[in-house]
Amino acid sequence: MDRIHARTLRRFALKKKLVLATAIVTGSAWLLAATPSTRQVAGDPAIPKRVPAVFPAGWRFPAGARATFAPHAIVAGDNRLAAQVGAQVMKQGGNAVDAAVATGFALAVTFPEAGNLGGGGYMVIRMADGRTDALDYRETAPLAATRDMYVGANGKLNGESTIGSKASGVPGAVAGLIEAHRKYGVLPISRVLAPAISLASEGFIVDTTLNRSLASEKYRIGGFAGKSVFFPNGAPPAIGSRLVQPQLARTLRLIASSGSRDFYRGTIADSIVAEMRRNGGLITKEDLARYQPIWRQPLRSSYRGYSLISMPPSSSGGTTITEMLNILEAYGPISAFGSAERIHALASASQRAFIDRNSKLGDPAFVRVPLSTLTSKGYARAVAKTISRDHADATTQLASELREGNETTHYSVVDGAGNAVATTTTLNDLYGSGVFVSGAGFFLNDEMDDFTSRPGTPNMYGLIQGAANSIAPGKRMLSAMSPTIVLDPRGNLLLVTGARGGPRIISATSQIILNVIDHRMSLFDAMSAPRIHHQSLPDSIGVETGGIERSVLARLTQMGHYVYDLRGIASAASIMRVKGGYEGMDDPRSHGGAVGF
Ligand code: GLY
């Protein structure tokens, strides 16, 4: 077991009262010391003025442009056609939840690499009247799953957690979207699904992004039934051609007429089980019939006077972001963006929050998650004391067990009334397990790889995780998805954000929030700014190529950090309230868009 970190936990438990008292005294002191100037935007006293960002000379995205502006309502996501569907539904009188559900179903048609019916996700909701909610529609392990099902006779992982039928968890997406609509939607479900049905039955024009994405995953898709849809003549549909998906249209019509019943108990369920039988998968009719999405209390936290509403376990996203931000708040004043001091603080806070994430988090129905400790200001203050000002600490000295994933999609929605929805959904890998449900027209996930297949062995994202996230029948695998809503110090909606990118979701989402709050960046700059990533193991800082100055790199190396290049760190989609309305944008690292009116 970790030495420094365990000691911190023990010391924290013993001195909780003292720590709480200290929090009352020093918390406000830090707040005063750390809060930047509070000059406001003229005309809206609740929106602090933005400060132009300066990025390193070699950085690939410019600062200073403006995101898409919409005075009333907006959707931002990885796929423009699906964002258009969300905006259209709001124009027809739907609210933000109707739009999120419509966008989710449209993504399953127009963005098959991550949009899905065969995966799962999370939705964080804040209604304009102040109600908040969090929906967990993560996949579950089939009843026949066992802890060591991916460990071969030689003791090594057999690879079946990432491709083929054994990789799939019981899908939660359809149940989740239908449930979100049942509780909060205002339009009939048939109208919410109508645009996705048209896109599937009448088709849409294949763009370069889809063509390239399919081509790059031929090996994954080509071994299963999706080959006939996506590689009809051995190649993906040509750019500019129309992709029609009649099987998927039929499935969507069944969902429009029966809600989630047919998918989990009827003919679609039969098709899923038949596909499993053909390929040695584990999901049965009983697994599908038992699947339930779960409404959870959203995680509420604060950072320098702002409020965060985020996703509790079974995702690690909200917990890890909360712990990281609390550590940074306790660590001290904010150094300049891009400085070695700032990157050291960010990386060290992230390293420590990931140590806790990888060893202590799992499905709360199966393991005791120390949520109130991990998200408390007092605990963060104790952890912050373990960060030195001028040198890195080895993860092995801080903790014992570790790691987590990537090809997901996030979208953010705000409607004309100010209701906000942040949704992240995934198949895990691009096109999930590659397995395509014949007759029903959709891919199944390979989410089982997000479990700890073997403690100490990295999963596809290099995450080394602990026993809290081991496989058990009916259990939800730990996720990094981090749909988050931020309120300003007056309690007004400020930011709706989240990302795709496995564990890097946590880094991108937290850094966008920090860029907006600490560095007062505009949405465009906050999304474009270079990012860093530290997931505790490997014990190193990933930095986006060209994203840090050479002198900063030299200083970080001198401090004892190992720094390596990453082409991109996650891809986010965010909306920010601005004077007169909202700005929204997809990540400049991606090819989606924001659509509003
Ligand atoms: N499959 C990636 C995640 O849930 O974090």
Side-chain angles (χ1 to χ4, degrees):
M1 172 69 180
D2 135 8
R3 288 174 287 279
I4 301 179
H5 221 56
R7 224 184 303 137
T8 304
L9 262 173
R10 272 198 305 275
R11 210 184 317 141
F12 171 72
L14 286 173
K15 297 191 180 172
K16 204 167 175 185
K17 279 190 187 146
L18 177 64
V19 169
L20 279 174
T22 314
I24 293 163
V25 178
T26 56
S28 49
W30 278 128
L31 196 63
L32 285 176
T35 306
S37 129
T38 49
R39 279 178 303 153
Q40 311 290 337
V41 168
D44 189 339
I47 302 176
K49 194 168 161 48
R50 301 291 105 194
V51 175
V54 180
F55 300 150
W59 180 235
R60 60 191 168 125
F61 303 122
R66 198 170 176 196
T68 303
F69 174 76
H72 302 294
I74 189 162
V75 183
D78 282 320
N79 181 267
R80 180 171 286 278
L81 280 173
Q84 273 165 0
V85 164
Q88 178 191 334
V89 160
M90 290 194 284
K91 264 197 175 152
Q92 292 169 353
N95 65 14
V97 177
D98 290 314
V101 172
T103 303
F105 282 117
L107 281 166
V109 182
T110 58
F111 197 60
E113 66 174 57
N116 66 81
L117 303 183
Y122 299 95
M123 188 180 282
V124 172
I125 299 171
R126 183 195 183 250
M127 301 303 279
D129 62 10
R131 277 176 298 158
T132 59
D133 226 332
L135 184 59
D136 177 338
Y137 51 102
R138 181 70 158 166
E139 299 90 329
T140 54
L143 292 171
T146 57
R147 199 192 59 178
D148 297 325
M149 62 188 279
Y150 301 117
V151 182
N154 60 1
K156 297 203 170 121
L157 295 183
N158 60 18
E160 289 183 339
S161 67
T162 58
I163 192 162
S165 288
K166 284 208 175 71
S168 299
V170 183
V174 171
L177 293 177
I178 294 293
E179 174 58 17
H181 174 268
R182 184 200 64 75
K183 188 160 175 188
Y184 287 100
V186 292
L187 289 182
I189 192 68
S190 54
R191 279 184 67 191
V192 171
L193 267 147
I197 295 171
S198 305
L199 284 163
S201 60
E202 289 158 32
F204 63 95
I205 301 301
V206 173
D207 62 9
T208 317
T209 309
L210 177 57
N211 171 277
R212 287 199 184 141
S213 159
L214 287 166
S216 71
E217 296 298 315
K218 188 172 180 183
Y219 75 96
R220 177 174 293 274
I221 301 168
F224 304 98
K227 188 176 169 184
S228 62
V229 177
F230 296 107
F231 296 90
N233 305 305
I239 298 162
S241 67
R242 182 170 286 273
L243 176 63
V244 182
Q245 299 173 77
Q247 296 177 5
L248 182 55
R250 185 177 160 275
T251 295
L252 289 167
R253 280 195 201 98
L254 280 168
I255 296 170
S257 60
S258 82
S260 51
R261 196 182 61 243
D262 196 82
F263 191 95
Y264 290 93
R265 294 169 185 269
T267 60
I268 309 171
D270 292 338
S271 301
I272 296 172
V273 172
E275 200 61 54
M276 287 286 122
R277 293 218 176 103
R278 264 191 292 280
N279 290 295
L282 301 184
I283 300 173
T284 61
K285 285 286 292 254
E286 187 183 352
D287 284 314
L288 289 162
R290 285 166 74 128
Y291 184 82
Q292 292 293 335
I294 301 173
W295 286 106
R296 300 192 188 274
Q297 239 348 51
L299 198 53
R300 297 293 297 246
S301 57
S302 70
Y303 178 70
R304 302 192 202 273
Y306 291 74
S307 305
L308 268 66
I309 305 161
S310 59
M311 198 67 218
S314 63
S315 183
S316 66
T319 312
T320 313
I321 290 176
T322 298
E323 180 176 343
M324 194 187 304
L325 266 51
N326 282 344
I327 295 171
L328 282 171
E329 194 179 64
Y331 180 74
I334 306 153
S335 305
F337 179 82
S339 63
E341 290 69 29
R342 180 64 165 171
I343 295 174
H344 169 69
L346 276 179
S348 303
S350 181
Q351 176 190 29
R352 284 152 175 86
F354 264 93
I355 287 171
D356 283 334
R357 178 219 179 271
N358 294 336
S359 59
K360 300 183 180 78
L361 299 189
D363 182 343
F366 286 76
V367 292
R368 199 193 70 79
V369 175
L371 194 61
S372 55
T373 298
L374 296 181
T375 57
S376 80
K377 298 279 185 196
Y379 176 64
R381 214 177 336 273
V383 174
K385 285 195 182 121
T386 69
I387 304 177
S388 119
R389 300 276 149 181
D390 59 4
H391 67 82
D393 294 295
T395 291
T396 47
Q397 293 299 309
L398 294 168
S400 59
E401 302 179 58
L402 292 210
R403 288 192 196 195
E404 196 212 58
N406 185 35
E407 300 308 347
T408 301
T409 187
H410 175 85
Y411 54 98
S412 298
V413 186
V414 178
D415 67 20
N419 301 311
V421 181
T423 306
T424 316
T425 180
T426 190
L427 288 165
N428 201 19
D429 250 318
L430 289 176
Y431 307 97
S433 60
V435 176
F436 191 78
V437 182
S438 311
F442 59 89
F443 289 101
L444 288 170
N445 66 83
D446 63 337
E447 223 70 66
M448 292 295 283
D449 191 64
D450 275 347
F451 276 120
T452 308
S453 294
R454 190 165 171 270
T457 305
N459 72 358
M460 74 166 82
Y461 306 105
L463 283 169
I464 299 171
Q465 309 181 97
N469 187 34
S470 61
I471 305 172
K475 188 174 175 182
R476 283 162 152 82
M477 55 295 285
L478 189 62
S479 170
M481 290 188 269
S482 309
T484 305
I485 295 174
V486 180
L487 310 182
D488 69 18
R490 294 173 163 216
N492 298 315
L493 179 67
L494 178 66
L495 187 68
V496 186
T497 189
R500 70 188 298 191
R504 298 175 196 169
I505 290 173
I506 292 171
S507 305
T509 307
S510 56
Q511 284 162 52
I512 290 164
I513 294 169
L514 291 167
N515 290 344
V516 166
I517 296 179
D518 286 352
H519 303 296
R520 295 283 194 246
M521 288 186 198
S522 67
L523 183 66
F524 186 89
D525 290 350
M527 294 277 286
S528 307
R531 299 173 185 152
I532 66 140
H533 177 67
H534 197 316
Q535 62 182 40
S536 75
L537 286 179
D539 195 350
S540 46
I541 308 177
V543 299
E544 290 185 307
T545 310
I548 59 170
E549 302 285 5
R550 292 173 84 91
S551 58
V552 172
L553 179 60
R555 174 76 187 118
L556 287 168
T557 309
Q558 202 181 48
M559 286 172 160
H561 289 287
Y562 178 76
V563 181
Y564 66 103
D565 261 20
L566 285 168
R567 169 74 188 149
I569 293 180
S571 172
S574 309
I575 295 171
M576 188 159 103
R577 191 168 58 85
V578 295
K579 188 179 166 200
Y582 302 96
E583 283 184 352
M585 67 185 280
D586 175 39
D587 205 296
R589 295 154 187 80
S590 188
H591 305 280
V595 183
F597 58 91

